[in-house]
Amino acid sequence: MEKSCSLLIHFDKRSQAMANEIKEALEGNDVEAKIDALKKAIMLLLNGESLPQLFITIVRYVLPSEDHTVQKLLLLYLEIIDKTDARGRVLPEMILICQNLRNNLQHPNEYIRGVTLRFLCRLTEPEILEPLVPSVLTNLDHRHPFIRRHALLAIAAIYRLPTGEQLLPDAPELIEKTLSSDQDLSARRNAFLMLASCAQPRAVAYLLSQADHVANWGDLLQMAALDLIRKVCRANPGEKGKHIKVIISLLSCPSEAVVYECASTLVSLSSAPTAIRAAANTYCRLLQSQSDNNVKLIVLDRLNELKTSHREIMVEMIMDVLRALSSPNLDIRRKTLDITLELITSRNIDEVVLTLKKEVVKTQSTELDKNGEYQQMLVQAIHSCAIKFPQVASTVVHLLMDFLGDSNVASAIDVVLFVREIIETNHKLRVSVITRLLDTFYQIRAARVCSCALWIIGEYCLSLSEVESGIATIKQCLGDVPFYTATEEGETADASKKLQQVNSSVTVSSRRPVVLADGTYATQSAALETALSAPTVLPGSLASPGNLRALILSGDFFVGAVIASTLTKLVLRLEEVQPSKAEANKACTDAVLIMTSMLQLGQSSFLPHPIDNDSYDRIVLCIRLLCNTGDDVRKICSQSCRQSFAAMLAEKQFQENEAIKAKAQISYAQPDDLIDFYHLKSRKGMSQLELEDEVQDDLKRATGEFMKDGDDANKLNRILQLTGFSDPVYAESFVTVHHYDIVLDVTVINRTKETLQNLCLELATMGDLKLVDRPQNYTLAPESSKQIRANIKVSSTETGVIFGNIVYETSNVHERTVVVLNDIHIDIMAYISPATCSDVTFRNMWAEFEWENKVAVNTIIQDEREFLNHIIKSTNMKCLTPLSALDGNCGFLAANLYAKSVFGEDALVNISVEKQADRKLNGYIRIRSKTQGIALSLGDKITLKQKGGSN
Amino acid sequence: MGRCLGGSDTLFGLDARKRNFRFSISFHGSCICALLTAYLFYKTESAESRPVTKIFLRCAWFTMVVLAASIVTKSGKVLVSRQFVEMSRIRIEGLLAAFPKLVGTGKQHTFVETENVRYVYQPIEALYLLLVTNKQSNILEDLDTLRLLSKLVPEYSPSLDEEGVCKMAFELIFAFDEAISLGNKENLTVAQVKQYCEMESHEERLHKLVMQNKINETKDIMKRKASEIDKSKIEKNRGDKGGLMALSGPRRIESSFNDMSISNSGSGFGSGSGIGLSSDVESFSIKPKGRPSASATAPSKGLGMKLGKTQKTNQFLESLKAEGEVILEDVQPNVAQSKSSLPSTDPVTLTIEERLNVVIRRDGALNNFDIQGTLSLQILNQEDGFVQLQIENQDVPGLSFKTHPNINKELFNSKHIVGLKDPNRPFPAGQNDVGLMKWRIQGMDEASLPLTVNCWPSVSGGETYVNIEYEASESFDLQNVVISIPLPALREPPSIRQIDGEWKYDSRNSTLDWSILLIDHANRSGSMEFVVPPADSSVFFPIAVRFTAASTYSDVKVANVIPLRDNAPPKYTQRIQLIADTYQVV
């Protein structure tokens, strides 16, 4: 068992004092100097020095000191020194401190007594505690509550020692007496806790005898009572009935903390609907009454847990939960929405949507900075409601469409996506939605929203009137053609200059390559970037009536291409539905005119940069289509697009269903799992871990007691030989990597016939590793072996190297002999684990992160997919690009990989490969991270492993 | 010998030696109780599950605790951290190092949860104050605690930066300790914590004041007495001055004053006392290294005679409940308490005591044999003070008497009558014993020893057999004999092969106590044999023996109390006792 550490203090190397200076100061008479020296000594000890000679000085010169601070520091000193020798026996000199401790326990100053008693709680050596027991007991009756509190703690601590029952055989009786007689709340709490942990039946008896008064106990004691109830009921479920009453009475207690605890106790004890309902009610009440965000969030977490275990009850509570939306905090709102979205049923959907709608309306009226995001969240929430329950779509879609023209692009995009999905899935709404969309189209400012809306118009204007008004709307928004005349050039010369500036600044900032959602690694055009970043209403185009015109004049030819294809679709459809050929032809020519105007604008010098090739090609294609139409083209335009959209929706739905199914699958037990019948189990042979409940486990995990020892066979495979077989000292080690630390277990064997003295394993580290302990000296008998354990702290994800020597002396040679050890490489793979994040966050992080490492692909693997899999396997990352997107055999592959380190760092990888003519793969792997360490280590790892093939 | 013969006994009630002695008794008592309770546990408790549940996190008896309270910089440097449960250094450092990476920016809440722990934090300028708790912990309580701490930090560290906090690190730790008692929440205010940390104690001041007064008072008395004695020396021939109060001379007062200052100084065995320290070291250093198991220390007959006598099984529970008291008042035949054990109701009480100081070598030779006797008188009412005492004694070679200066020497030498020089003055009355006369007997030889103890350790077959026998002289009937044999540190009590009397193993001091209630003509000699793991024979020495007897060597008795006034002789009782003060075989 590792030594426990009770305090940490930052140690400044500059202030380091020599041991003899400290000693001198301690021996002096100056109290201030003594305090200072004692502090320094403690710091040195904490820093791993051992100052064995100091102890006697302290006993002689510091123990008798009357000063309170000195005494308190002394206790700290005693707390951190080693009180036992290597074999776990108490050092004989520790007896010297007993007298002092005893004096302190009888000190007239109540605080000295108190702190000394508290110190005793941290002692584990019965040999030291034993002579102090009577003094501790006398303190139990002291009139000062400060002393009684700590005396109770000390008694409890002593009693809990393995030999505690012999040291304090009657502790439970004494404490029970104190519990019933004491007035001080804190003291009673301590007493109760002691009983609860050491003499549970007594504690239970006391609790039951006081059941009627529990509501009047102080909050501290009530907490302890709840803790006890939980423990008892877990060990002995039959007892539940007796205690529920107590809990119920506590539920109406004024202290919020107690109420909260009550609720969680109720949940852990019972799954009866009434109990759960009471708990959920309590949580909801807390959610309302507490103003602290932390509390709200944690209460929401609890509600979330309830939701998974007792869904049907939480469904009833949905409206109470929703009330938390009134908090201005986004995290809270998000969590609330997450919870409620999973609770909606056909019965409560109307109410929920009503509330959501109200909230949405609220966001419209108020102008808070964070509202945009909130609005987006609400829109998304309504979106998913509408998908689950299509009947509500009709009530919300119109409301939401008001947001299409909103200045908040993100929520506008969400809305338009929502509209797109609704119009496809909900045919009844099509007509009204289209009409509405055409009405509000002129308000749309953002390019992305525009293009999506245009697509909807192009696809879903079916009837003659719709098609006609669609074309009319677009035309109106575009304004008069041509967009650009020679005369205009001079007028807008300065405007264009400005524009140029704007654009150039944008281009500069966005030069960095961006990974697209499908994993393609693209350098985006500056124009698109502008469109993405914000709806730019340029000064020169403010006057123009149409939003589309403004966009095109700002140089967004992507929108131009979308307009072109929309017009093409509409015109083709018009030809189908319009009986009059002339009308159709007129529309057709109008469309062609618009397209050519756009091309003309694109190629003019009016705009700082000309039309990009892609858009140009598409517009030209549209013109060609309109000029000579064939059936295939017609079909493609009027049907295939929609079909592929429907297919996409279906795929999305399918994936969601799969995910739900997979989730549901997890909770089922395996058919061949063992079932534990708690009541049938003999508790005799049970290990401690099995006996303790999950709450205790939680605590133990937190303190790091749960360090699973991996299977030993596996361990043996990872043995590293550190020295040669012919070296006088043979050493080998195995390395265990925990979360934040690395443990080296080194076996050292003396191969000589001599005794090796002062044998020391000196380790040094490279990278972000730090040795925790100072090495100790050992003496190694001839041909004996020794296990040495070294702890190394890791603070970030990085490949590290540990190297070192073994140094020793032999009796005849006085020089120290050095054996150099093999290096130990710590692999980055031990720290990172696959993780997922959304495309958007991935791209945001990609743009944000500082460190990029670009590795050229150099592999003998010839298949792209195989290569990807190989990289995934060797880097332990997760592929974010969906499998469906990787299908096919086109000779290109682009994928995004993502992983997270145990320290919470993100590692992003993008793979872009292309199959060359000679069947070799060519391309780059780019790694980005916030810190250099990951980028470098991961790059090294990939370089090392990418070759592949051999294994 | 810090004891006072004079009437100033109450003043110096806190005699250092007495306290130590009492202390060792209480060890004794609680040990016996340990046996009894252990036994009881076997009967009542489902015993098998107990030892298992014991091996567990010590501090974490509550499932909702604060694991640590820390201050870290925004860059993740740990400035101060106080842990309230046992956790390894690497663990806490890891947790704290991970924290800054987990803190997001621009969040409106101040907690982070990881797989295993929850951090609740609060930014203070360039620092974070944070609590590490488990995830089950009650957030409302933790926030309360955090709020308290965040108010405390600026109180103790005026500059809230790295340097300032480092400078006040210890003060902060003290404050944290008060605010979070071993991980549990305390309902405290900032003012209270400050008060606790300042440690200003009214009681201490009072105590110091009282101490100072006492010292001054004693100095005054000392001076007065000194001058009185000087005067009395000058006016000795006139014989009309002085009083019994001056019995203990200036030297004695001074020495007892020294003792007192040691015992009461509260902290420390420094200041040149030596007594407390050295005796404690002795008693602790022979403590057992192993842990006696309950069953091993609970032989049914080995309860020790004291408890066996005073405690009955049906009273057991009551006594256990009140054990805090019981331990301290545990009645044993010991020097310090025998005197005051019974408040006398007779108007005149005479106490005659002889104390033995004997050191015998293993081979039987005498190192020291010294007998000191005292005669003291207690008179309840002033009227009964006009008396003289007729003394009788056996003529023992080497016996010499010394009387109090106020006693009429001539009268004593001629008639063996103790009376005051001034017949018009009464003996002082009151509850206290007034010493009248002392005597010594020297030059006694081995033959007059009341009890001899022979100890023969012998090693055979990997075990040491120890044979002990005692032989008592015909002249005394000894009561409450306890022969304590030190043993090597043992895991289990020694196995007793044969014994006359009863035995008890005191695991605490690692001694075997062989007790015989009464040695009279029926058992003038006895023996015991026990076996322990191999040990050096010197381990079993020094053997200490305690006993009392009802007759003395000098056989001093008060034959008669002669009234000086014309009233009937007052009723009187006399108590005669021989006590083994130091009786050792080395």
Side-chain angles (χ1 to χ4, degrees), chain B residues 424-459:
Chain B
N424 296 324
R425 281 174 50 129
F427 282 106
Q431 280 294 340
N432 307 319
D433 282 351
V434 178
L436 299 180
M437 191 170 76
K438 294 195 288 186
W439 63 93
R440 287 182 70 190
I441 308 174
Q442 274 178 312
M444 312 264 284
D445 58 358
E446 294 103 282
S448 10
L449 281 173
L451 184 76
T452 51
V453 177
N454 256 322
C455 176
W456 299 95
S458 57
V459 179

Side-chain angles (χ1 to χ4, degrees), chain A residues 866-903:
Chain A
E866 197 185 315
F867 179 68
L868 177 65
N869 290 338
H870 175 68
I871 294 291
I872 290 173
K873 202 178 140 210
S874 52
T875 55
N876 194 22
M877 297 183 92
K878 170 142 179 123
C879 183
L880 291 183
T881 313
L883 281 179
S884 53
L886 296 169
D887 271 347
N889 212 345
C890 60
F892 292 97
L893 183 140
N896 293 336
L897 310 184
Y898 179 66
K900 227 174 161 121
S901 78
V902 289
F903 309 101

